[in-house]
């Protein structure tokens, strides 16, 4: 093999990360790579100018990728966000200490300490305790059910055998089992057995502390884990989308996981045509696996297409036949959890698996599984991450072993544990402080003739390095990628045409894509040919979709922003301009596709043509969107407890003769949908809803006018007089009767202060920030019903809302006064009125206790 | 795990907001952490309006660069200069470097930019924020060199060389060394141009004397310029190469040898294969004894067993009288063929086939077995599979024959590769295949008794 005859000059320093005293000779400058030093003068520096076209550019056909396959039938939940986990401020909580349960006082030391420091932290103490105490009340089942199991693990509870069991002796084991098993949702008091009551008296003092410490510790651990996952989810490192070439270069299969839990491995045949969008051939076949698929790797070695799949605790290997049928070869279990899998590009069926325990194993059909390396510690310096990675090198018996701090080459036949460091997170590669390896990949698998088959790609959160295994520690190329998320996916493609540089695709977890042109073969050093370019991401496709109502729009946006978990690309052979087909897989299981064509050197003045959406593209987006909106949204993680109404209302079995109205109401209630007039047995009327009334607006302008003239007080007086007096405006009267006639059992008190108060705002947690309604006139105050007495004023509105939802028995005052002639004119309004108080808009207030 | 929330608090403590990257609990810097925190930022210290605008402008420039929209990037750049007026001294200080990095990139690729524009920009930037003077000068010189303007580049470097600012720091010193080395390289280019002119002149010509005088001067200057840098650990291939060439030209063989030996064997330097290759080539030119050459290549063999010089190494070892060297010769051939990039190297296969036969004829079966033991479980599927036999025969029949002989010798006549090739019917290769069969029958290590 050729070695570059003259390497680019670089300084070599040893030391830890972020050693700032040394000048960075590379200057992080992208055009520096274009300045290859002339070998010798006779050819002249003029001729040594890089022959690579300056304007090498892959032009996308459309402004963004398009959905290739219809969305899956399972709903997708984006999971926790930073807003869910972070808490900022906390000053107001400290000024007004809130009463919390004693139990939670001792929860998790670290968070308690952190509360003494200002600013932001994951969960600060007072709100955390508040939250925890609420959690214990509201989700007793979730909080206490695992407790029994936990305590069973931690205590030795069984007494000596053969001892006679008297009635005074309680079997703690049974009790603890009870604790876990028999609690109905939501209600901690239901089914409280005598045994449990006795136990709670006996075990109270112990339990109060152990619940807190056990639960708090676990909760804290879980929160920390979720937060770390949110910042960097390395489970999908390497990518879960693979392109398995078929019989002809234009046909192939996409292999990817989909389904709600990503536990189905799909095989979709796709045919690529240079002139148009790829065609999906038939429906996908799928294999159901026992866990979520995290990584899919494919290689064609000696004519054999192999497919390796990594799940959390299992790895599997398939052989794909010429017809595209997968046949299982091996399934391996990884007890501590697998972090990486790679297939050998040299020997058919050989694969390397990395475990969280720090072990690297090699499997091949002849020798079976063999551990070749094990080190629970990281390579260069101490880093807590258990992430490990392994890949192959140009020598089939030498593997690279990587972790967050560096990459080492290990000879599988040599003595265990020894090897040379290929990459060191330190001054050798002028790494920054806090820089860590996120991905390493062997780049030499695409055939020896185009690029050095000894190159390795190493990505950190800041930069990309190309390292030659023959010159360890000194990166041949370093480029600051500047991706706003973790680069966990990379693909090197064959050159689109002989003589052209090879495209290297790099994708961040957030879906950002970059394309680099890597040139350099034979005796020249690998370098970037031309400036790297960014490619459109999935969220750039938003403009291709029709505009939707905000909720669906938000759902679409969220779906398009789903993290990228897979990347695959193919360059089908074509006579004219080379075309690159790029496939992306998102965490929601969507496969998107983008076509790019290589642009020649554009003239100095001709602006690059901008891509636009074709009618076909927008049509396919609309189809996809329609299918997406048909998928029901993900159910919330926790729903309000449902009680068995059969048990509760067993004695009131519905009587058949009651007519259509209660039946319709009952079904509407049971289905949780909007009550429509026809449910109540009323015929839809042709009458339109009354035109919007100039109600509050007019009052406001009136009031403003008065205030402008300095007569606000007089205006208010006038208003009060007219509001409580008998000469009430007919309009207001009408409004009220509209409401009361719709829900015939409602009290007329609904509009206590309706005229000037805004609809109940969902931001209830900040009462002082809410625009305050004018003070309720004493005349109205006195007419309030008994139920409103003693209820804090800010809750009255909620109660009112609830009252509004519950058809109360008995005639409410006001209902009788409704003129029957008006009853029919208002039937179309309830949907609007109800919409303002629908429980969906106020999740905080829908707890059943409130209504009790 | 327990202190992650503690760590997280850090970014918002008053003055540290300027930190570009926020460390997470594990000590890892996550550039995107700030973004997450900003999504929930409601209270607390907000960035100043100007800072927000400048960072937005910066990201617009970067976006335009990544989309190759040079014109647009240049327009944004025009606005970005305003950051030099920032009241925040910290930002003002790092701004020139960012401006230079982005600006030079724009000017390098912009279709309407030319050398004059670049010169003006570089000269201005050198004097804004003096700390970057040396770096910018060096890159400016490289740009000029790339555009064939050797004289201008040389002048530029000469200016930078004499520049001093404040106390001489170690990083400044390295940069000055680098600048001097590049200047030396430029002089080498001029020198080698002169050398070529000289070679075309007649020795008796009057002009010859002046020209050679000129060259002498250059050489002296260059040696001073180059030798400082190549003492510092690093990869200095172009400098070492040109320096050695000049030393050799003036007959300073000892000096050249010292430079190369130091470059190859100094432990502070990274293990650079080229250092050994340069030394080997020098020794070869010097007609050094075979032992010496072998000792140099032995080290190269340890570093890069796949290098193409290994075949030359094998030839040297084969010619040697030393028995140990003969054994090493076999090892080297096996070593070359281990690598994925060398599987189709017909010379290596030819050498191996020939040498294997020779070794077995010389009854050194143990040597072969020693090499074969570590390879017998993967070479058959790596080199001698049925697939390989078919594809090799299709692509390169000569290669297939050589490989078949090796396969037969190592695996016996029943191996798939050998069987497949030996039953092929080919007019020209008929004789060769017949010979191959005979050799395998006689010497294969699988049936040594026969």
């Amino acid at each position: 093999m050729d070695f570059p005859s003259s390497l680019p000059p670089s300084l070599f320093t040893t030391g830890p990360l972020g050693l700032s005293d040394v000048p960075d000779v590379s200057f992080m400058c992208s055009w520096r790579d274009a300045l290859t030093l002339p070998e010798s003068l006779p050819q002249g520096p003029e001729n040594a100018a890089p022959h690579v076209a300056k304007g090498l550019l892959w032009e996308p056909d459309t402004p963004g990728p398009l959905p290739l396959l219809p969305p899956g039938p399972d709903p997708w939940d984006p999971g926790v966000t930073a807003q869910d986990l972070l808490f900022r401020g906390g000053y107001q909580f400290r000024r007004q200490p809130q009463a919390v349960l004693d139990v939670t006082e001792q929860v998790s030391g670290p968070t308690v300490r952190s509360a003494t420091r200002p600013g932001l932290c994951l969960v600060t103490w007072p709100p955390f305790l508040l939250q925890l105490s609420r959690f214990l009340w509201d989700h007793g089942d979730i909080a206490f059910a695992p407790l029994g199991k936990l305590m069973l693990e931690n205590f030795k509870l069984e007494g000596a055998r053969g001892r006679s069991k008297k009635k005074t002796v309680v079997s703690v084991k049974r009790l603890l089992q009870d604790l876990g098993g028999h609690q109905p949702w939501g209600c901690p008091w239901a089914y409280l057995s005598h045994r449990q009551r006795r136990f709670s008296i006996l075990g109270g003092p112990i339990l109060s502390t152990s619940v807190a410490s056990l639960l708090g510790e676990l909760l804290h651990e879980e929160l920390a884990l979720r937060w770390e996952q949110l910042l960097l989810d390395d489970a999908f490192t390497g990518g879960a989308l693979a392109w398995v070439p078929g019989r002809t270069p234009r046909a192939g299969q996409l292999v990817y996981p989909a389904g709600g839990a990503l536990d189905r491995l799909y095989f979709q045949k796709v045919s690529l045509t240079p002139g148009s969008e790829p065609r999906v051939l038939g429906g996908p076949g799928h294999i159901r696996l026992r866990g979520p698929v995290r990584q899919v790797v494919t290689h064609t070695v000696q004519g054999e297409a192999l497919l390796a799949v990594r799940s959390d605790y299992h790895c599997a290997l398939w052989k794909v036949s010429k017809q595209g049928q997968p046949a299982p070869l091996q399934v391996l279990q990884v007890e501590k959890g697998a972090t990486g899998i790679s297939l050998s590009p040299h020997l058919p069926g050989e694969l390397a698996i990395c475990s969280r325990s720090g072990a690297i194993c090699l499997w091949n059909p002849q020798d079976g599984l063999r551990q070749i390396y094990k080190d629970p510690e990281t390579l260069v310096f101490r880093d807590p991450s258990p992430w490990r990675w392994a890949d192959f090198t140009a020598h089939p018996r030498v593997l690279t072993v990587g972790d967050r701090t560096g990459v080492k080459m290990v000879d599988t036949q040599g003595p265990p544990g020894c090897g040379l460091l290929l990459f060191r997170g330190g001054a050798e590669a002028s790494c920054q402080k806090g820089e860590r390896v996120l991905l390493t990949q062997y780049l030499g698998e695409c055939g020896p003739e185009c690029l050095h088959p000894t190159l390795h790609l190493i990505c950190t959160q800041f930069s990309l390095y190309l390292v030659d295994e023959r010159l360890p520690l000194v990166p041949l190329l370093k480029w600051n990628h500047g991706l706003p998320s973790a680069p966990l996916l990379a693909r090197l493609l064959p050159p689109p045409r002989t003589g052209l540089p090879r495209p290297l695709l790099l994708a961040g977890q957030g879906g950002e894509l970059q394309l680099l042109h890597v040139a350099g073969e034979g005796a020249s050093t690998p370098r970037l040919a031309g400036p790297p370019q960014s490619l459109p991401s999935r969220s750039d496709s938003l403009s291709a979709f029709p505009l939707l109502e905000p909720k669906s729009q938000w759902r679409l946006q969220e779906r398009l922003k789903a993290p990228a978990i897979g990347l695959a690309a193919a360059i089908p052979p074509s006579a004219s301009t080379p075309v690159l087909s790029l496939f992306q897989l998102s965490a929601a299981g969507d496969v998107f596709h983008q076509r790019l064509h290589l642009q020649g050197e554009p003239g100095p003045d001709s602006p690059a043509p901008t891509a636009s959406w074709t009618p076909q593209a927008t049509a396919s987006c609309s189809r996809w969107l329609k299918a997406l909106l048909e998928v029901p949204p993900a159910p919330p993680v926790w729903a309000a407890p449902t009680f068995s109404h059969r048990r509760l209302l067993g004695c009131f079995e519905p009587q058949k003769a009651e007519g259509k109205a209660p039946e319709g109401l009952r079904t509407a209630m049971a289905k949780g949908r909007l009550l429509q007039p026809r449910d109540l047995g009323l015929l839809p009327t042709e009458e339109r809803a009354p035109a919007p009334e100039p109600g509050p607006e007019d009052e406001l302008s009136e009031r403003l006018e008065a205030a402008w003239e300095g007569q606000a007080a007089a205006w208010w007086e006038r208003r009060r007089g007219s509001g409580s007096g008998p000469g009430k405006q007919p309009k207001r009267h009408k409004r009220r009767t509209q409401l009361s006639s719709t829900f015939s059992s409602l009290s007329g008190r609904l509009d206590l202060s309706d005229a000037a108060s805004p609809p109940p705002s969902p931001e209830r947690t900040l009462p002082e920030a809410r625009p305050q309604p004018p003070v309720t006139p004493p005349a109205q105050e006195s007419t309030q019903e008994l139920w409103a007495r003693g209820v804090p004023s800010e809750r009255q509105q909620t109660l009112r809302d609830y009252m509004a939802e519950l058809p109360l028995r008995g005639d409410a005052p006001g209902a009788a006064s409704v003129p029957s002639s008006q009853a029919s004119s208002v039937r179309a309004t309830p949907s609007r009125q109800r919409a303002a108080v629908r429980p969906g808009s106020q999740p905080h207030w829908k707890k059943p206790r409130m209504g009790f | 795990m327990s202190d992650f929330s503690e760590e997280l608090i850090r970014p918002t403590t008053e003055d540290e907001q300027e930190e570009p990257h926020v460390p997470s609990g594990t000590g890892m810097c996550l550039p995107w952490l700030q973004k997450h925190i900003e999504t929930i930022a409601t209270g607390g210290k907000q960035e100043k309006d100007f800072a927000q605008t400048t960072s937005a402008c910066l990201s617009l420039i970067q976006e335009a660069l990544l989309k190759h929209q040079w014109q647009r990037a240049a327009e944004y750049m025009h606005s970005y200069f305003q950051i030099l007026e920032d009241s925040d001294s910290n930002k003002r200080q790092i701004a020139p470097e960012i401006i230079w990095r982005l600006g030079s990139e724009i000017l390098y690729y912009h279709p309407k930019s030319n050398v004059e524009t670049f010169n003006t920009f570089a000269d201005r930037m050198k004097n804004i924020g003096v700390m970057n003077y040396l770096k910018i000068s060096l890159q400016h010189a490289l740009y000029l060199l790339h555009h064939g303007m050797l004289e201008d580049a040389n002048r530029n470097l000469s200016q930078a060389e004499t520049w001093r600012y404040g106390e001489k720091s170690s990083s400044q010193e390295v940069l000055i060394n680098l600048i001097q080395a590049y200047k030396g390289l430029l002089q080498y280019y001029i020198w080698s141009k002169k050398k070529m002119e000289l070679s075309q002149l007649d020795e008796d010509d009057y002009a010859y004397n002046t020209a050679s005088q000129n060259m002498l001067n250059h050489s002296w200057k260059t040696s001073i310029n180059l030798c400082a840098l190549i003492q510092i650990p690093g990869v200095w291939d172009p400098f070492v190469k040109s320096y050695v060439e000049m030393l050799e030209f003036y007959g300073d063989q000892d000096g050249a040898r010292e430079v190369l030996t130091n470059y190859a064997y100094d432990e502070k330097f990274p293990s650079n294969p080229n250092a050994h290759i340069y030394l080997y080539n020098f020794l070869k030119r010097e007609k050094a004894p075979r032992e010496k050459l072998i000792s140099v290549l032995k080290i190269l063999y340890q570093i890069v067993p796949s290098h193409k010089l290994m075949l030359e190494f094998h030839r040297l070892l084969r010619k040697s009288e030393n028995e140990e060297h003969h054994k090493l010769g076999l090892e080297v051939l096996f070593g070359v063929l281990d690598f994925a990039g060398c599987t189709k190297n017909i010379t290596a296969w030819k050498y191996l086939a020939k040498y294997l036969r020779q070794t077995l004829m010389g009854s050194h079966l143990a040597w072969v077995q020693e090499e074969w033991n570590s390879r017998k479980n993967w070479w058959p599927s790596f080199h001698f599979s049925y697939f390989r036999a078919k594809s090799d025969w299709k692509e390169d029949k000569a290669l297939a024959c050589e490989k078949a002989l090796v396969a037969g010798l190592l695996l016996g006549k029943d191996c798939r590769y050998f069987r497949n090739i030996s039953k092929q019917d080919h007019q020209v290769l008929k004789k060769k295949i017949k010979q191959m069969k005979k050799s395998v029958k006689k010497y294969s290590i699988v049936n040594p008794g026969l």
Side-chain angles (χ1 to χ4, degrees), chain A residues 24-312:
Chain A
D24 186 1
V25 187
S26 73
F27 309 127
M28 309 298 282
C29 174
S30 82
W31 56 268
R32 181 197 170 251
D33 259 339
L35 304 181
T36 42
L37 283 171
E39 294 274 306
S40 57
L41 202 83
Q43 282 80 44
E46 294 88 350
N47 301 347
H51 49 273
V52 182
K54 259 188 181 181
L56 203 64
L57 184 71
W58 287 91
E59 187 69 37
D61 281 8
T62 48
L66 296 172
L68 181 74
L69 302 164
D74 296 311
W76 176 68
D77 177 29
V80 290
T81 59
Q83 285 100 317
D84 298 335
L85 292 172
L86 289 182
F87 176 81
R88 191 158 188 155
Y91 294 97
Q92 63 267 47
F93 282 100
R94 241 180 299 146
R95 251 183 261 130
Q96 307 163 340
Q98 306 244 342
V100 287
L101 281 182
D102 282 350
V103 174
T104 54
E105 289 281 359
Q106 297 149 19
V107 167
S108 55
T111 48
V112 175
R113 260 186 288 125
S114 67
T116 57
R117 300 180 60 173
L120 174 119
C121 66
L122 194 63
V123 186
T124 40
W125 175 47
F128 178 63
L129 290 190
L130 204 71
Q131 277 170 1
L132 190 60
S133 76
R134 274 193 194 154
F135 178 76
L136 291 177
W137 276 107
D138 296 342
H139 307 280
D141 53 333
I142 299 173
F144 294 104
L147 191 73
K149 211 177 149 219
L150 275 170
M151 288 177 65
L152 272 177
E153 282 169 6
N154 289 305
F155 294 96
K156 189 167 164 49
L157 296 163
E158 281 170 286
R161 273 195 186 176
R163 191 185 266 184
S164 69
K165 280 179 187 164
K166 290 175 188 167
K167 283 208 169 175
T168 49
V169 180
V170 182
S171 165
V172 186
K173 194 177 173 186
R174 282 287 291 280
L175 270 177
L176 291 177
Q177 278 169 348
D178 274 4
L179 213 55
H182 295 296
Q183 284 220 9
W185 273 83
C187 186
W189 293 286
Y191 300 106
L192 197 68
S193 66
H194 287 288
R195 206 160 44 180
Q196 280 174 337
R197 200 189 299 280
R198 248 184 297 168
F199 174 64
S200 77
I201 293 162
L202 279 172
I206 311 159
L207 280 181
S208 65
T209 53
S210 47
V211 168
S213 55
L214 274 172
L215 187 69
E217 214 173 276
L218 288 172
L219 190 62
H220 190 255
E221 202 175 289
E222 176 68 16
L223 284 171
L225 195 75
R226 292 290 186 99
W227 172 241
E228 271 171 12
Q229 254 179 16
L230 184 76
L231 290 181
L232 176 69
D233 188 3
D234 55 19
F236 290 102
T237 308
L241 180 68
W243 171 257
V244 183
R247 273 177 165 174
T248 60
R250 281 190 191 154
Q253 276 194 97
L254 281 176
V255 184
Y256 59 95
L262 295 176
D263 59 347
R264 280 158 206 246
L265 191 65
Y266 281 82
F267 294 80
Q268 175 68 61
K269 286 205 170 90
V270 174
S271 118
L272 303 172
T273 38
S276 64
E277 291 290 312
R279 275 191 307 130
V280 176
L281 305 174
H286 79 261
I287 299 173
R288 178 137 202 190
L289 303 173
R290 273 165 68 189
V293 173
R294 305 295 188 190
Q295 195 188 349
V296 180
V297 191
T298 183
H299 260 305
T300 305
V301 190
Q302 300 191 7
E304 241 179 77
L306 290 151
L307 190 73
V309 169
R310 166 169 66 89
S311 177
D312 286 340

Side-chain angles (χ1 to χ4, degrees), chain A residues 549-565:
Chain A
E549 41 123 348
K551 212 175 162 189
S552 307
Q553 184 80 8
W554 175 248
R555 208 171 137 199
L556 172 67
Q557 254 174 11
E558 212 166 43
R559 187 95 173 188
L560 291 178
K561 269 195 281 178
I565 59 164

Side-chain angles (χ1 to χ4, degrees), chain A residues 1-12 21 23-25 27-31 34-35 37-42 45-46 49-50 54 56-57 82-83 86-88 110 113-114 117-122 220 224 227-228 230-232 302-303 346-348 366-367 383-384 394-397 404 413 432-434 436 438 448 453 461-462 469-472 474 479 484-486 514 530-534 604-605, chain B residues 1-2 4-6 8-9 12-13 21 24 26-33 35-37 39-43 65-68 70 100-101 104-105 108-109 111-112 118 135 138-139 142-143 145-146 148 150 170-171 174-175 178 182 185 188-189 192-193 196 232-239 241 268-274 277-278 303-304 306-308 338-342 374 377-378 381-382 385 387-388:
Chain A
M1 275 186 283
D2 273 333
F3 189 78
S5 60
S6 179
L7 295 164
S10 70
L11 202 65
F12 184 74
D21 199 33
D24 186 1
V25 187
F27 309 127
M28 309 298 282
C29 174
S30 82
W31 56 268
L35 304 181
L37 283 171
E39 294 274 306
S40 57
L41 202 83
E46 294 88 350
K54 259 188 181 181
L56 203 64
L57 184 71
Q83 285 100 317
L86 289 182
F87 176 81
R88 191 158 188 155
R113 260 186 288 125
S114 67
R117 300 180 60 173
L120 174 119
C121 66
L122 194 63
H220 190 255
W227 172 241
E228 271 171 12
L230 184 76
L231 290 181
L232 176 69
Q302 300 191 7
H346 313 299
L347 295 169
Q366 297 91 40
D367 304 340
D383 187 271
H395 192 296
R397 279 287 159 270
R404 292 268 176 258
Q413 292 180 323
Q432 292 180 44
K433 198 165 169 250
R436 298 287 186 276
L438 296 179
Q461 64 268 50
F462 304 114
E469 62 190 52
R470 295 168 293 182
L471 179 68
V474 185
W479 185 66
S485 61
Q514 278 181 3
Q533 67 175 105
S534 67
D605 290 319
Chain B
M1 188 67 85
S2 63
F4 73 99
S5 47
E6 296 264 280
L8 196 56
I9 299 167
T12 46
T13 49
H21 307 300
S24 75
T26 58
M28 179 174 178
C29 258
L30 298 167
W32 48 87
L33 176 60
K35 199 180 73 196
H36 278 299
I37 291 169
T39 57
I40 53 117
T42 46
L65 284 180
L66 279 172
K67 288 185 173 156
H68 297 201
W70 315 117
W100 166 249
R101 209 173 61 207
S104 63
E105 195 169 337
Y108 185 79
Y109 291 111
K112 282 186 190 160
F118 196 93
K135 280 188 189 180
L138 185 52
Q139 285 192 53
L142 279 173
Y143 177 88
L145 174 66
H146 178 244
L150 261 66
S170 64
S171 80
V174 171
L175 271 173
L178 205 59
Y182 271 103
L185 199 66
Y188 161 79
Y189 290 145
S192 86
K193 208 174 179 178
M196 217 173 65
I232 304 168
V235 176
W236 311 123
D237 288 0
F239 305 123
K241 245 171 126 174
K268 291 199 283 296
F269 280 65
S271 76
N272 181 357
N274 276 340
I277 295 164
Y278 295 163
I303 308 171
V304 192
S306 63
H307 198 272
K308 60 179 179 187
D338 277 348
F339 284 87
C342 305
S374 63
N377 58 351
W378 61 279
S381 54
F382 184 53
S385 65
F387 177 86
R388 287 260 192 254

Side-chain angles (χ1 to χ4, degrees), chain B residues 346-364:
Chain B
I346 185 162
T347 323
W349 282 110
K350 202 182 270 170
Y351 281 180
L352 182 63
K354 199 171 150 196
Y355 199 61
L356 206 56
R357 222 183 71 148
Q358 204 178 318
T359 313
L360 289 168
M361 275 162 74
S363 59
H364 289 295

Side-chain angles (χ1 to χ4, degrees), chain B residues 284-377:
Chain B
K284 216 167 96 176
R285 281 194 299 271
E286 226 189 16
K287 307 230 164 19
R290 193 191 292 145
E291 285 299 312
K292 183 91 190 153
L293 294 176
I294 286 177
S295 72
V296 174
L297 285 181
K298 221 176 198 166
I299 292 164
L300 184 65
Y301 170 65
Q302 304 291 335
I303 308 171
V304 192
S306 63
H307 198 272
K308 60 179 179 187
L309 273 181
M310 287 304 116
L311 296 177
E312 209 169 311
F313 184 38
H314 166 78
R315 283 199 299 272
L316 283 174
L317 291 168
R318 203 169 56 193
K319 280 184 213 148
S320 163
E321 278 91 52
N322 193 333
E323 187 95 320
E324 277 297 303
H325 285 168
H326 290 168
K327 191 177 171 223
L328 187 63
L330 187 70
E331 196 185 314
V332 167
L333 283 180
F334 270 105
V336 168
L337 290 167
D338 277 348
F339 284 87
C342 305
T343 50
K344 288 182 179 154
N345 189 332
I346 185 162
T347 323
W349 282 110
K350 202 182 270 170
Y351 281 180
L352 182 63
K354 199 171 150 196
Y355 199 61
L356 206 56
R357 222 183 71 148
Q358 204 178 318
T359 313
L360 289 168
M361 275 162 74
S363 59
H364 289 295
L365 181 65
W367 295 357
V368 179
Q369 261 163 350
E370 195 182 309
E371 291 306 316
W372 183 238
N373 270 342
S374 63
R375 293 179 174 89
K376 67 180 174 202
N377 58 351

Side-chain angles (χ1 to χ4, degrees), chain B residues 425-440:
Chain B
D425 197 28
H426 196 273
Q427 288 299 321
V428 187
L429 293 170
K430 208 178 228 171
K431 204 177 153 199
K432 200 167 182 183
I433 289 173
K434 204 173 165 190
Q435 254 180 7
M436 181 178 89
K437 282 185 189 166
K438 216 166 109 185
S439 300
V440 169

Side-chain angles (χ1 to χ4, degrees), chain A residues 601-833:
Chain A
E601 210 161 338
D605 290 319
S606 70
T610 46
S612 59
W613 295 110
T614 58
Q616 293 97 317
T618 45
S620 83
C621 282
S622 302
R623 273 198 306 278
W624 186 83
L625 181 64
K626 206 177 150 216
L628 176 71
L629 293 178
E630 275 166 15
V631 176
V637 181
W638 184 83
T642 47
F643 295 96
S644 167
H645 61 274
R646 204 170 296 159
R647 201 184 293 274
L648 285 175
L649 306 169
C651 42
F652 315 108
E653 270 305 308
Q655 281 140 35
K656 298 284 168 203
E658 260 185 288
K660 206 188 167 192
E663 189 60 42
L665 178 69
R666 199 173 294 126
T667 46
M669 290 289 274
K671 286 180 181 171
R673 65 170 163 80
L674 186 68
L675 186 69
Q676 284 168 346
R678 62 183 147 83
D679 294 327
L680 297 170
L682 304 167
L683 289 168
T685 49
E686 290 302 305
E687 255 180 281
R688 300 261 150 216
E693 295 163 56
E697 290 83 7
D698 258 12
E699 267 169 34
L700 184 67
S701 51
E702 236 178 80
R703 188 174 163 190
L704 281 173
E705 237 172 73
W708 188 251
E709 288 159 16
Q711 294 167 346
W715 178 85
W716 184 239
E717 271 310 307
R718 205 164 61 234
R719 245 202 90 68
R720 269 183 66 189
S722 69
S724 55
K728 203 174 172 181
Q729 287 174 0
K731 273 181 198 164
R732 276 176 55 79
H733 181 68
K734 192 179 158 203
R735 276 170 62 86
R736 198 172 67 178
T737 48
Q738 277 168 14
L739 274 171
S740 43
S741 64
T742 316
F743 311 102
S744 57
S745 55
L746 270 189
S747 81
R749 299 284 165 267
L750 248 183
D751 49 350
L752 277 176
S753 55
D754 61 342
S757 77
S761 67
E763 300 101 43
R764 285 306 175 117
T765 42
L766 289 168
E768 66 278 355
R770 186 161 52 107
Q772 290 286 312
V775 182
T776 317
Q780 287 195 354
E781 191 73 67
S782 61
T783 59
Q784 271 191 320
E785 292 210 285
L786 274 173
W787 56 259
R789 296 259 165 86
V791 179
S793 59
E794 75 270 13
R795 285 206 175 172
Q796 282 184 11
Q797 183 62 46
T798 323
L799 273 175
R800 261 176 245 129
D801 295 345
Y802 268 91
M803 304 298 271
E805 294 292 291
L806 295 170
L808 297 177
R809 288 206 182 276
D811 288 337
S817 66
V818 182
S820 56
S821 62
Q822 286 190 1
S824 62
S825 70
V826 291
R827 258 170 227 134
T829 51
S831 64
R832 187 167 62 89
Q833 294 290 346

